[in-house]
């Protein structure tokens, strides 16, 4: 127990007079402020000036998971926030380490994951005069545009307030990333333990319910009850909210078909009769009233317009979001419902239970028949047992793994590996699918996998494209070091999108081509884990089952036909094409 923790107990009991208290310092104040607010885990990369902070935190009972690169530690903290609704903590060194963590911080903010990036920094007086300190950088100024809030603490007695403000900013309203700047000199500041104890702040109700206005609820109900072809779209915000029972009740009691975005898959099983995931195109195009539950009309939903959504003016939207500024971001929102998802969904349920009529049978039949036709069309592709594998046959094997192990957490990134897995692998429980989210940024895989295993204790299956794995692959050592139950499957087709491009000059490999027939499984073996090379879906299924049964860190090199991929998966249209003709 630290000096400050002892003082807290003593002060509560009235047993320690002011003049007899011990001293404490910035190191211990940071640790005790985090512990007081229920923080149990720190993700970090040690180094100047935060090495001792990590050591002391571990000694004081916090779990400290050390990574090989700050971006991966930051990604771990971000997804920890998504899974727990508490801010994930990433601790980095100054300047370059801080910059490495910024990508994860910005990605957390974009995806609405609560996360706090804590970085040591150079002394203010030297930075402000640009006198050339070790890793000198005005980190606070750089962080501000990329996160929800940013704070700097200069005095030990303000650490409690600084941590409290960071926590509240991260989780209140729309969650996001927060930066907390701690200059090196702060850690060694010594103050009276009694005053230090009094300076700590326990954050009370950091994310209070935000009840929607009755008039807004009534407007949404009137619009929904007028619908002939209603549809519910579930976003990852609905998964984050952990209002699982209310969301399920809204779907099942209303009888409205639903389309889940990728990280909302499993709020209801993808095999649910009302799931329209396999008929997504038809559902989006032909619906007339769409209820957006924690989903944003960004590029992932074609901005709510265009051919994806049918004829212009054919849609009216009801949008549930805690951020008022999200409304009308791309198209008019006919019935905005501003509030937390749980409160808004409960309010809709209360109104629907009074005089709701089920959607017309022909709409339900349209969705059902289209879904069944698409599933039947896809089935033969998933059943092939050829060598080398294609993406469909390999994902077909993993689809069966998740069906048999619905409690496992699936981490997924890549191009074809990601896009096809979203539609092929069914999910059965909420918050079991973790992927690249709103930005589609590669490199989240190993950080997400580590945090998922640490925070939940569940087995993790990380399905990676060979390109995506390259961004964070060194963290296999971290997985082995902490002996985590993570099975990594790398879809190895020798390159980005495919491994068949060539350099027209004949000088170098094609820009998207990797070393032919690489053996990623040997990387895992180098660190004491299990490595397996597979060439058929049957071999893949057996290898994954063995890994999940054993709980041992495992990497499976799944050999995919180099010509099987397509450029940018399903978003190739975002890649501009040259209009110049070759001479």
């Amino acid at each position: 127990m630290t000096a400050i923790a002892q003082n807290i107990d003593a002060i509560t009991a009235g047993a320690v007079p002011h003049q007899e208290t011990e001293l404490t310092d910035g190191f211990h104040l940071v640790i005790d402020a985090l512990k007081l607010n229920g923080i149990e885990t720190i993700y970090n990369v040690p180094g100047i000036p935060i090495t001792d902070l990590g050591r002391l935190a571990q000694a004081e009972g916090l779990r400290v998971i050390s990574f090989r690169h700050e971006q991966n530690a930051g990604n771990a903290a971000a997804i920890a926030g998504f899974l727990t609704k508490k801010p994930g903590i990433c601790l980095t060194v100054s300047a370059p380490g801080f910059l490495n963590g910024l990508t994860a911080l910005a990605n957390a903010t974009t995806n609405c994951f609560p996360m706090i990036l804590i970085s040591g920094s150079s002394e203010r007086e030297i930075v402000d005069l640009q006198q050339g300190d070790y890793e000198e950088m005005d980190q606070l100024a750089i962080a501000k545009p990329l996160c929800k809030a940013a704070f700097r603490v200069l005095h030990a007695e303000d650490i409690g307030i600084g941590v409290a403000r960071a926590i509240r900013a991260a989780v209140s309203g729309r969650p996001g990333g927060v930066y907390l700047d701690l200059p090196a000199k702060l850690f060694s500041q010594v103050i009276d333990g009694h005053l230090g104890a009094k300076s700590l702040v326990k954050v009370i109700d950091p994310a209070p319910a935000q009840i929607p206005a009755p008039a807004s609820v009534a407007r949404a109900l009137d619009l929904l009850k007028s619908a002939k072809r209603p549809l519910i779209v579930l976003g990852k915000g609905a998964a984050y909210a952990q209002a699982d029972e209310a969301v399920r009740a809204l779907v099942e009691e209303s009888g409205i078909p639903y389309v889940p975005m990728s990280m909302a898959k499993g709020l209801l099983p993808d095999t649910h009769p009302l799931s329209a995931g396999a008929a997504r195109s038809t559902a989006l195009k032909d619906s007339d009233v769409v209820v957006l539950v924690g989903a944003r009309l960004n590029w992932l939903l074609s901005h709510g317009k265009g051919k994806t959504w049918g004829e212009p003016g054919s849609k009216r939207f009801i949008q549930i979001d805690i951020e008022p500024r999200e409304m009308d971001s791309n198209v008019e929102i006919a019935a905005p419902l501003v509030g937390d998802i749980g409160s808004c969904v409960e309010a809709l349920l209360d109104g629907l239970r009074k005089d709701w009529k089920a959607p017309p049978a022909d709409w339900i039949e349209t969705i059902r028949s289209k879904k069944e036709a698409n599933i039947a069309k896809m089935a033969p592709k998933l059943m092939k047992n050829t060598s080398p594998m294609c993406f469909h046959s390999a994902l077909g094997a993993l689809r069966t793994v998740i069906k048999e192990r619905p409690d496992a957490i699936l981490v997924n990134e890549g191009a074809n590996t990601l896009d096809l897995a979203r539609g092929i692998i069914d999910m059965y429980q909420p918050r079991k699918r973790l992927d690249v989210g709103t930005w589609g940024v590669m490199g989240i895989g190993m950080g997400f996998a580590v945090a998922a295993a640490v925070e939940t204790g569940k087995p993790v299956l990380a399905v990676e494209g060979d390109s995506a794995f390259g961004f964070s692959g060194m963290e296999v050592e971290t997985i082995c070091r902490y002996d985590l139950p993570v099975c990594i499957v790398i879809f190895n087709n020798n390159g980005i999108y495919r491994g068949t491009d060539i350099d027209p000059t004949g000088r170098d490999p094609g820009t998207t081509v990797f070393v032919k027939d690489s053996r990623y499984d040997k990387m895992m073996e180098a660190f004491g884990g299990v490595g397996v090379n597979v060439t058929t879906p049957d071999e893949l299924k057996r290898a994954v089952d063995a890994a999940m049964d054993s709980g041992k860190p495992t990497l499976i090199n799944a050999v995919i036909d180099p010509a099987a991929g397509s450029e940018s998966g399903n978003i190739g249209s975002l890649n501009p094409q040259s209009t110049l003709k070759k001479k």
Side-chain angles (χ1 to χ4, degrees), residues 43-45 67-78 88-109 115-120 137 139 142-143 146-147 177-180 439 441 444:
Y43 300 94
N44 93 133
V45 175
F67 282 74
R68 304 299 292 266
H69 192 281
E70 290 89 354
Q71 183 173 322
N72 305 321
N75 285 327
I89 306 297
C90 176
L91 180 64
T92 81
V93 303
S94 54
F98 155 77
L99 290 174
N100 288 341
L102 271 187
T103 299
L105 183 69
N107 192 50
T109 303
M115 167 194 169
I116 302 174
L117 175 64
I118 301 176
S119 295
M137 179 177 288
Q139 295 171 196
I142 293 169
L146 300 174
C147 58
V178 175
Y179 175 60
L180 188 60
W439 264 359
V441 62
I444 54 88

Side-chain angles (χ1 to χ4, degrees), residues 329-535:
S329 58
N330 275 296
V331 297
E332 179 186 81
I333 301 300
L337 266 180
V338 178
D340 70 274
I341 287 173
S343 297
C344 290
V345 170
E346 291 284 2
L348 285 180
L349 273 170
D350 289 344
L352 288 176
R353 285 166 176 158
K354 295 175 182 176
D355 57 354
W356 174 252
K357 294 181 181 179
D362 60 344
W363 172 235
I364 302 300
E365 177 57 24
T366 296
I367 297 295
R368 185 196 65 78
S369 60
K370 186 64 176 178
K371 179 171 68 172
E372 291 183 356
N374 287 342
I375 291 173
K377 184 179 179 180
M378 179 71 73
K381 298 180 180 179
L382 307 182
M383 298 298 292
K384 293 180 180 178
N385 191 37
T386 56
S387 176
M389 295 177 280
C390 67
F391 287 96
H392 288 86
S393 61
L395 288 169
L398 299 182
R399 181 176 187 261
T400 303
V401 170
I402 294 298
K403 182 178 180 180
E404 295 171 353
R405 304 170 187 269
D407 200 35
I409 295 177
L410 175 67
V411 174
N412 187 205
E413 64 174 335
N416 297 272
T417 307
L418 170 73
D419 291 330
L420 294 172
R422 282 171 168 160
I424 292 173
I425 300 180
D426 290 328
M427 305 304 297
Y428 303 88
Q429 296 179 18
R431 293 169 296 282
K432 298 297 186 182
R433 179 183 170 84
L434 311 175
D435 66 28
V436 300
T438 305
W439 264 359
V441 62
M442 295 296 104
I444 54 88
M446 297 303 96
F448 278 20
V450 169
V454 168
E455 299 291 342
T456 71
K458 302 294 184 182
V460 177
L461 175 62
V463 181
E464 302 272 311
D466 51 356
S467 173
F469 176 73
F471 288 87
S472 63
M474 194 62 193
E475 302 301 345
V476 297
E477 187 274 334
T478 305
I479 292 169
C480 290
R481 187 174 2 121
Y482 290 94
D483 194 27
L484 298 175
V486 175
C487 173
I488 305 161
V489 176
I490 298 179
F491 280 23
N492 183 2
N493 67 339
N494 294 342
I496 301 171
Y497 313 131
R498 63 178 74 88
T500 57
D501 285 354
I502 60 172
D503 176 3
T505 71
R507 180 176 56 192
D508 294 317
T511 59
T512 61
V513 174
F514 297 151
V515 172
K516 186 178 179 180
D517 301 329
S518 297
R519 290 292 301 274
Y520 293 98
D521 50 305
K522 299 298 183 181
M523 288 180 61
M524 185 64 93
E525 291 179 357
F527 298 112
V530 177
V532 185
N533 187 64
V534 301
T535 60

